[in-house]
């Protein structure tokens, strides 16, 4: 009987239950759900089946051993304790993937290097030794550093950090099925597409002969995954490489038997694939879909054609499907973005999708994957189920619909265009706030401030005064408020604001603000290039009220900037993720000896230069650098007396090698910033992520003071969670 082995399969967050169900069907035992994955046991054959058949998993790891890893020496010893000769030849290639950090192992690259050193040192014989191949090694080793929790009575041992050492049987992520052309734009990963179809009940619909339609199919991922699922084709059957192929413990006979079984099932299932169609308005997308479908062996099975949504509404039903026949499942992944994103209002597109569902596909089911849950209201259908998922690091929502009359949301009839009682209440509150705040702003020499911030729940907007201009930001309306009602409220706002504030209508600028996403505040919405000068105490700044979601000046950080100015006297100042350099201006006004301002965006470093010029900041002692902050920090040799660190919540810019997630990466980021402090230096760390939790325990070597309350300005008192702020110094 084959030995029972310990495995761990990774999965995108939110898909652990689906993965567990898959593994159970494949014969796995002792299944235990974990964050972003599933632990399970079984013989080697079960691990192979997971690599071949799992539609949801990212990687399948086979555990080799574990050991204490509180520091680099213990980590090295834990890796050295494994008999690597059982798993690889001396001349083989290897790669080490490392996750997790602790107080002693602060970089994953360093952790990976220590494990690699242990393997090489153990296997070295004369001039023969393993070498590194990061792309396709003979053996890919995975190490996870985690907090170990022991049973009662073992408190000392249980509290030590532990390294779990495994080999990656998959070799590369299992979402790479082998049919997608390299370099093609692929916003939807294959395993997430499969999860969408599983959640929507596609296997049962397909088994009953129901068709599949994607009206915005892009490069065809949902269609291909749906066809393979309906045809009982293993998603790993077309892959050329798996990580176990170069492993000494590989059992070729077992694998060959599983592949033969999968090939027979695919051949038998091909005749069971129902009608699968896709349409898209982009000719480039359809061309990419054709290539992917061909590569997936589905050229005569999956049909794609260039049709916009509006054309699909008017087009006759396919000849092989009777007029009015319902589609079993309509599934799509529409364009992402805020309600006004990249200068485009996406609500009409979603309304059009809703019309297509209601007029052509009643009686079936639908699944829509979207980033902005509020856009789902524009579809005009009541979702029967909503799942929160992740596309990479991006939160997304899966809305499932039963296409029936009871699900249709009927819009209300517009009332006469007169100021309602609610609009009158909004006007009164706005006037009251302006009366209280305007004298204070004048005394403080502030020309831009917040005059209204969702004071009345029905009017979910923020209104900021910028001199003789107003900047209105509409937040996502509460979920209990219907979309049509929210739009009516916004019309009220745009009528009331100029009247109450005495500002010309053409100087009231509207933006639609949604929950913050990686890089969203930098998305361009217009191209006027029009700059407006504003004042903040001793400093002056240029703002842009039309071209970007944010204006170039975060008003809630006004007191934070003032604090930076007070702390900067006689110090060298570093501004990281500097945006338009406003904190640097205050540092110079406060008496900084020299400044360095770093931001990745050329647009914002150029904007910072304009702000410097406006405030007379010149000379070589004031450096302005366009660079990715973390990469720049790693190379910087200078030390600073004061650092301001205000990173984004998430970023995956093309200018970065890796994505940045504030919650995940903040401990390492803060340590890297503290490294640049001179003795007695101060780090001011701030962010606007309301869900952020500072891991003070992991930063126990630092003295951390929460200064959030002291940095919330008077005009943001109603919304004290707008940001969080800490002052950080080395202990001793």
């Amino acid at each position: 009987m084959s030995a029972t082995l310990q495995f761990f399969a990774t999965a995108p967050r939110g898909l652990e239950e689906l993965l567990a169900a898959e593994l159970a069907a494949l014969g796995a035992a002792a299944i235990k759900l974990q964050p972003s994955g599933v632990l399970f046991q079984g013989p080697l054959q079960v691990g192979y089946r997971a690599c071949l058949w799992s539609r949801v998993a990212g990687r399948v790891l086979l555990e080799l051993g574990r050991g204490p890893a509180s520091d680099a020496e213990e980590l090295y010893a834990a890796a050295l304790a494994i008999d690597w000769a059982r798993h690889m030849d001396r001349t083989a290639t290897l790669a080490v993937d490392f996750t997790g950090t602790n107080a002693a192992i602060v970089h994953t690259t360093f952790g990976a290097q220590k494990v690699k050193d242990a393997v090489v040192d153990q296997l070295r014989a004369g001039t023969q030794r393993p070498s590194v191949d990061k792309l396709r090694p003979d053996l890919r080793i995975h190490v996870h550093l985690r907090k170990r929790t022991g049973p009662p009575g073992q408190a000392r041992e249980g509290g030590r950090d532990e390294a779990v050492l495994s080999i990656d049987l998959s070799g590369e992520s299992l979402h790479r099925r082998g049919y997608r052309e390299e370099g093609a734009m692929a916003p939807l990963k294959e395993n997430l597409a499969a999860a969408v179809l599983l959640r929507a009940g596609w296997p049962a619909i397909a088994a009953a002969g129901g068709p599949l339609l994607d009206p915005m199919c892009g490069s065809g991922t949902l269609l291909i995954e749906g066809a393979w699922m309906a045809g009982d084709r293993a998603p790993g059957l077309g892959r050329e490489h798996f990580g176990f192929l170069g492993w000494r413990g590989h059992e070729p006979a077992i694998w060959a038997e599983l592949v033969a079984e999968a090939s027979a099932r695919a051949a038998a299932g091909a005749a069971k694939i129902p009608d699968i169609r896709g349409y898209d308005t982009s000719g480039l997308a359809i061309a990419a879909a054709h290539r992917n479908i061909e590569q997936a062996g589905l050229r005569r099975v999956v049909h794609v054609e260039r049709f916009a949504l509006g054309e699909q509404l008017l087009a006759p039903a396919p000849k092989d499907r009777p007029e009015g026949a319902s589609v079993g499942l309509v599934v799509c992944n529409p364009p992402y973005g805020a309600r006004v994103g990249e200068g485009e209002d996406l609500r009409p597109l979603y309304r059009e999708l809703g019309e297509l569902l209601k007029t052509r596909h009643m009686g079936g089911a639908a699944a829509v994957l979207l980033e902005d849950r509020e856009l789902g209201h524009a579809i005009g259908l009541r979702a029967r189920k909503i799942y929160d998922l992740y596309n990479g690091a991006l939160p997304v929502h899966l809305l499932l619909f039963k296409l029936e009359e009871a699900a249709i949301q009927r819009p209300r009839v517009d009332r006469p265009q007169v100021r309602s009682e609610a609009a009158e209440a909004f006007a009164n509150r706005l006037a009251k706030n302006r009366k209280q705040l305007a004298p204070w702003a004048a005394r403080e020499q502030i020309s831009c401030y917040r005059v209204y911030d969702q004071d009345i729940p029905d009017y979910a907007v923020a209104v900021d005064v910028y001199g003789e201009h107003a900047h209105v930001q509409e937040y996502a309306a509460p979920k209990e408020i219907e979309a049509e009602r929210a739009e009516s409220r916004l019309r009220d706002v745009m009528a009331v604001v100029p009247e109450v504030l005495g500002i010309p209508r053409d100087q009231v600028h509207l933006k639609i603000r949604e929950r913050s996403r990686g890089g969203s505040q930098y998305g361009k919405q217009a191209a006027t290039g029009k700059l407006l000068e504003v004042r903040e105490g001793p400093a002056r700044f240029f703002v842009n009220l039309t071209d970007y979601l944010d204006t170039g000046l975060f008003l809630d950080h006004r007191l934070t900037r003032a604090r930076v100015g007070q702390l900067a006297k006689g110090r060298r100042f570093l501004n990281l993720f500097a945006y338009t350099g406003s904190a640097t201006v205050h540092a110079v006004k406060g008496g900084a000896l020299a400044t360095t301002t770093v931001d990745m965006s050329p647009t914002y470093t150029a904007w910072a230069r304009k702000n410097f010029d406006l405030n007379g900041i010149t000379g070589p002692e004031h450096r302005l650098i366009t660079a990715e902050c973390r990469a720049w920090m790693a190379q910087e040799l200078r030390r600073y007396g004061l650092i301001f660190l205000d990173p984004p919540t998430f970023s995956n810019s093309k200018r970065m090698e890796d994505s940045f997630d504030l919650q995940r990466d903040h401990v390492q980021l803060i340590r890297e910033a503290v490294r640049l402090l001179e003795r007695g230096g101060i780090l001011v760390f701030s962010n606007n992520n309301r869900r952020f939790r500072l891991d003070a325990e992991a930063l126990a070597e630092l003295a951390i003071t929460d200064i959030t309350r002291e940095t919330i300005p008077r005009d943001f008192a109603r919304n004290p969670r707008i940001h969080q702020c800490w002052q950080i110094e080395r202990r001793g």
Side-chain angles (χ1 to χ4, degrees), residues 180-219:
R180 176 172 281 155
E181 58 180 355
E182 290 297 323
M185 185 178 70
L188 185 64
K189 287 188 175 181
E190 293 88 334
N191 55 345
L192 178 58
V196 167
L197 291 162
L198 289 170
R199 286 294 192 199
W202 168 240
I205 294 172
L212 178 70
L213 170 69
D214 185 348
M216 289 180 274
C217 68
S219 58

Side-chain angles (χ1 to χ4, degrees), residues 244-302:
F244 54 73
L245 294 176
W247 172 45
R248 268 194 159 182
H250 175 45
E251 297 284 352
I254 295 176
W255 177 244
E257 182 180 344
L258 292 175
V259 170
E261 176 197 13
S263 298
R265 287 174 60 174
K272 301 177 183 178
I273 302 175
D275 181 26
I276 296 181
R277 298 174 182 271
Y279 305 108
D280 202 280
T281 189
S282 166
L284 291 176
I286 291 298
H290 276 298
R291 291 191 293 271
N292 291 338
I293 290 167
E294 178 79 26
Q295 188 68 23
L298 298 169
R299 183 168 62 89
R300 299 184 182 276
V301 179
V302 177

Side-chain angles (χ1 to χ4, degrees), residues 2 5 7 23 26 28 40 42-54 57 60-62 167-170 174 234-237 239 242-259 261-262:
S2 299
L5 305 173
F7 300 94
L23 294 171
L26 295 174
F40 66 100
L44 181 60
Q45 183 185 57
V46 170
Y48 284 168
R49 282 192 179 276
C51 289
L52 183 61
W53 279 100
S54 176
V60 177
L61 310 177
L62 169 61
I167 57 173
D168 187 345
L169 296 180
S170 43
L174 293 174
L237 191 57
R239 281 169 53 109
F242 286 91
F244 54 73
L245 294 176
W247 172 45
R248 268 194 159 182
H250 175 45
E251 297 284 352
I254 295 176
W255 177 244
E257 182 180 344
L258 292 175
V259 170
E261 176 197 13

Side-chain angles (χ1 to χ4, degrees), residues 366-533:
V368 180
L369 187 70
L370 44 77
E371 178 193 19
D372 175 7
R373 184 165 169 175
E374 294 304 316
L375 274 173
H377 291 304
I379 296 174
L381 289 164
R382 187 176 297 105
R384 66 172 179 83
K385 186 74 174 178
I386 299 176
Y387 291 97
D388 294 329
L389 306 175
Y390 285 83
N391 188 6
L394 181 68
V396 292
H397 311 281
L398 175 61
L399 278 59
L400 301 182
F401 302 96
K402 188 175 182 180
L403 301 180
E404 58 186 10
E405 287 293 327
I408 298 177
Q409 294 177 323
R410 306 293 181 185
R412 294 184 178 180
V413 178
D414 286 338
R415 61 180 184 271
Q417 295 300 310
V418 295
R419 184 181 288 185
S420 65
E421 182 178 344
E424 193 66 36
F426 169 73
N428 291 338
R429 179 61 64 90
L430 185 63
K432 178 182 177 181
N433 290 355
R434 174 67 182 272
K435 183 178 180 180
Q436 293 176 344
L437 292 171
W440 159 79
R443 288 194 304 271
E444 298 292 326
Q445 296 184 312
I446 297 169
S447 68
C448 44
Y449 59 94
R450 179 149 295 182
V451 71
Y452 176 93
D453 196 356
Q454 304 184 86
D455 299 41
I456 300 173
D458 274 0
Y459 291 90
V461 299
V463 182
D464 299 323
V465 171
Y466 285 84
E468 298 302 316
H469 292 251
H471 187 253
V472 179
Q473 302 172 69
E474 184 197 18
Y475 295 97
K479 59 183 179 181
E480 65 269 18
I481 295 180
E482 297 175 359
E484 293 295 325
R485 184 180 176 191
E487 292 178 16
S488 176
R489 293 287 192 252
L490 185 57
R491 290 194 294 270
D492 288 344
V493 168
M494 296 308 290
V496 167
V497 167
E499 293 177 18
V500 172
L501 299 184
I503 292 174
R505 291 181 181 274
D506 62 352
Q507 291 177 202
V508 178
H509 310 277
L510 173 65
K511 305 286 179 57
I512 310 297
R513 175 176 288 283
E514 297 289 335
R515 173 175 49 79
S516 177
R517 302 170 183 86
S520 66
Q521 71 266 34
Y522 297 87
K524 201 158 189 178
Q525 299 190 334
T528 67
K530 186 181 294 184
L531 297 177
L532 173 70
E533 182 181 330

Side-chain angles (χ1 to χ4, degrees), residues 575-584 597-600 608 624 629 646:
N575 189 359
L576 295 166
F577 304 93
Y579 195 31
T580 59
S582 55
T584 304
T597 303
V598 186
D599 195 277
M600 181 170 59
L624 187 57
C629 286
D646 184 26

